[in-house]
Amino acid sequence: MKTFSKMKLQVAMLFLVLGTAMCPAQDKFLEKYGAMNGVTVVSISPKMFQLMPDMETEGLDLGKLKGKITGLQIISTERKEIRDQMKADISKMVDVSAFEELMRVKDGESNVIFYISQDGDSIKKMIMLADEPAEFTFICLSGSFTMQEIMQTVETMSASD
């Protein structure tokens, strides 16, 4: 499944380079897990994205999404006891009725699920949950962008491979 791994890496890079604005539940989640040993937290504020210059990184044309993505939040752990608690907390935090499952990928013991929350054609929030044997990762992307804009950005990155 080399193609799946490459796609997963590209999507993860997209999330890492782009962003998310946090709601109060996510703030509490970030606070709780950010203080724990064995948890990696990346949180990029909306202000950071305003300061970001137009640039292309790894074939990803960020200029197409400037002003549409407001921040990024990534929380990840390899510790099993923390993973189990994170999964339970996320299931309480993510109101499934407010999100639509966009895609689910199972590859061996790895499960990746993408959820979106939309207002018309505009995506307000995209969540990725990656549950792998050695790691659990939560990524949340917020803003006001379309699926077409995301796909164009991913295609730009894929074309540069």
Side-chain angles (χ1 to χ4, degrees):
M1 289 267 125
K2 192 171 188 169
T3 304
F4 170 71
S5 296
K6 190 174 185 179
M7 179 188 77
K8 191 169 93 173
L9 176 63
Q10 289 174 340
V11 171
M13 284 177 60
L14 175 66
F15 275 105
L16 286 170
V17 177
L18 300 176
T20 180
M22 296 177 287
C23 67
Q26 287 173 299
D27 286 341
K28 290 177 186 174
F29 186 76
L30 181 68
E31 239 176 73
K32 176 179 180 177
Y33 289 99
M36 292 182 181
N37 287 330
V39 177
T40 300
V41 175
V42 176
S43 181
I44 301 175
S45 71
K47 185 65 175 176
M48 181 66 174
F49 284 96
Q50 292 171 1
L51 297 172
M52 183 177 67
D54 290 331
M55 61 186 223
E56 189 173 313
T57 304
E58 299 287 328
L60 182 63
D61 184 1
L62 301 178
K64 292 179 182 177
L65 292 171
K66 188 169 183 172
K68 297 177 185 210
I69 305 297
T70 54
L72 175 66
Q73 185 177 7
I74 303 168
I75 303 172
S76 182
T77 188
E78 295 176 355
R79 293 183 52 195
K80 179 159 178 33
E81 65 277 7
I82 297 173
R83 287 173 34 187
D84 294 342
Q85 185 60 51
M86 279 177 70
K87 287 193 266 188
D89 286 347
I90 287 170
S91 69
K92 293 175 196 169
M93 181 179 71
V94 176
D95 178 7
V96 183
S97 66
F99 288 87
E100 181 178 348
E101 186 174 310
L102 184 63
M103 179 171 69
R104 182 180 295 254
V105 180
K106 182 173 185 336
D107 182 30
E109 294 182 57
S110 297
N111 290 298
V112 180
I113 304 172
F114 292 86
Y115 294 99
I116 60 170
S117 175
Q118 287 182 276
D119 183 11
D121 287 341
S122 181
I123 296 172
K124 298 300 180 187
K125 190 166 291 201
M126 182 181 280
I127 292 176
M128 182 186 92
L129 303 174
D131 190 3
E132 300 175 294
E135 185 174 21
F136 180 78
T137 304
F138 166 84
I139 301 175
C140 185
L141 176 68
S142 295
S144 185
F145 49 91
T146 66
M147 187 55 70
Q148 182 179 4
E149 290 166 331
I150 292 294
M151 295 310 294
Q152 287 172 344
T153 303
V154 172
E155 288 170 7
T156 301
M157 186 167 47
S158 296
S160 69
D161 289 342

